[in-house]
Amino acid sequence: MAQSIAAAQARVKRAGRAKRAKKVIKEIFTHKALYIMMLPAVVYSILFQYKPMYGIIIAFKDFSYRKGIMGSPWVGLHNFEQLVKSYWFPLIIRNTLTISVLSLVIGFPITIIFALMVNEIGHEGVKRTFQTITYAPHFISTVVMCGMVVMFVKGDTGIINIFIRLLGGKGVDFMMLPGMFKWVSVISGVWQGTGWGAIIYFAALSGVDQSLLEAAEIDGASRLQKMIHISFPVLVPTIMIMLVLSCGSLLSVGYEKTLLLQTPANLTSSEVISTYVYKIGLLENMDFSFSTATSLLNSVVNAIILIAANQISRATTKSSLW
């Protein structure tokens, strides 16, 4: 009796799986044009993003070119222990977090405020011109931008120091002061990225119900009141998604700008995870196992922060990535 019941349950499960498979196949054929369009992106992701991920096992090996990835001996967590015990570990963690948190605290709200203010410009031509001007810094190459920053903050001829002297102050060579590096990096990043980062908020603001704005204007609401009570609530879901994404890259300060702005004098304040990995992995020691372990630890921590931020966002605002 029990065997016949189990056999019947197995047949029901097989029938259910076959039914689901037919449904999936039917769905694919119904929307085959969309799936064909997706195919190149899927193939690209598999070949160039997922397939190379097997290389992370280098972090647990003493990698040798001659022996290859699979032939190199296992060392377990030795590379991670070496990282945690190194002199630079607390410095690079502190510097990375400092620059990332400052960029988030300063740059994130400025982008939102900028989008709300530009959205209030009544003349369409002026608005588009202003948007184009603020987008422009994003397209300046990192090398050129860093050259401009160095020229601006130079101790003797920098435009910022000229302005300080005009006000009666004393010129400062910002690039030679370790404590000033984070501010130079963050403020230059805000200047370069605010206009471009506001694009997604402009798109969200285009969905504001104009009838609500007209009704508020009839009731005597000021521009600030309309921004706070009508425009801003429309942005909240987008803001939360962007905040979650920003939290997911909290330990991912780009190495290009940081490396170009580094000097021997500010190294203790400018060395971050990405520049440390670049130097250890390519420039100095060619230690691929150690640099891979550092990058892997960075990615794991970022993933944990992203998941936590997403859960908090979903619990508090009902907006989340998944």
Side-chain angles (χ1 to χ4, degrees), residues 58-61 75-83 289-290 293:
I58 294 175
F60 305 96
K61 292 193 169 195
V75 294
L77 298 177
H78 171 73
N79 292 312
F80 296 93
E81 294 173 0
Q82 184 182 353
L83 169 64
S289 296
F290 183 74

Side-chain angles (χ1 to χ4, degrees), residues 21-233:
K22 289 179 180 178
K23 186 178 180 180
V24 170
I25 294 171
K26 183 180 179 181
E27 179 74 15
I28 291 173
F29 276 98
T30 303
H31 304 287
K32 59 182 177 181
L34 295 177
Y35 287 102
I36 291 172
M37 291 174 63
M38 288 171 55
L39 189 60
V42 172
V43 172
Y44 174 84
S45 299
I46 292 172
L47 291 180
F48 297 102
Q49 294 182 0
Y50 288 95
K51 184 177 179 292
M53 285 180 66
Y54 85 98
I56 63 175
I57 62 175
I58 294 175
F60 305 96
K61 292 193 169 195
D62 183 12
F63 177 71
S64 168
Y65 266 125
R66 182 173 57 84
K67 297 178 182 178
I69 294 178
M70 302 310 296
S72 299
W74 287 93
V75 294
L77 298 177
H78 171 73
N79 292 312
F80 296 93
E81 294 173 0
Q82 184 182 353
L83 169 64
V84 174
K85 293 178 181 178
S86 69
Y87 165 78
W88 285 102
F89 181 71
L91 290 177
I92 62 176
I93 293 295
R94 183 196 67 191
N95 295 337
T96 303
L97 281 174
T98 300
I99 293 174
S100 294
V101 171
L102 279 176
S103 299
L104 186 63
V105 171
I106 296 174
F108 194 79
I110 284 180
T111 304
I112 299 168
I113 295 169
F114 173 79
L116 288 168
M117 293 176 65
V118 173
N119 189 62
E120 290 299 313
I121 297 177
H123 193 282
E124 194 66 26
V126 175
K127 180 192 291 187
R128 292 185 181 279
T129 302
F130 193 75
Q131 287 176 328
T132 303
I133 292 172
T134 55
Y135 296 162
H138 174 77
F139 298 99
I140 300 174
S141 72
T142 304
V143 175
V144 173
M145 191 273 293
C146 289
M148 293 170 63
V149 170
V150 171
M151 290 174 61
F152 291 161
V153 302
K154 192 173 289 186
D156 49 356
T157 60
I159 189 171
I160 294 177
N161 278 302
I162 291 174
F163 185 69
I164 291 174
R165 291 192 188 96
L166 288 174
L167 296 176
K170 185 179 180 181
V172 178
D173 194 346
F174 293 93
M175 300 310 298
M176 300 302 291
L177 298 176
M180 295 304 299
F181 178 84
K182 59 180 177 292
W183 296 109
V184 173
S185 178
V186 170
I187 293 173
S188 63
V190 171
W191 164 69
Q192 189 177 25
T194 296
W196 182 258
I199 290 177
I200 191 167
Y201 298 119
F202 290 138
L205 287 170
S206 65
V208 174
D209 191 345
Q210 295 300 314
S211 62
L212 292 177
L213 294 174
E214 293 170 0
E217 189 170 352
I218 292 171
D219 290 339
S222 65
R223 281 194 171 186
L224 182 60
Q225 289 174 324
K226 288 189 288 184
M227 287 169 58
I228 294 173
H229 298 290
I230 299 176
S231 299
F232 183 75

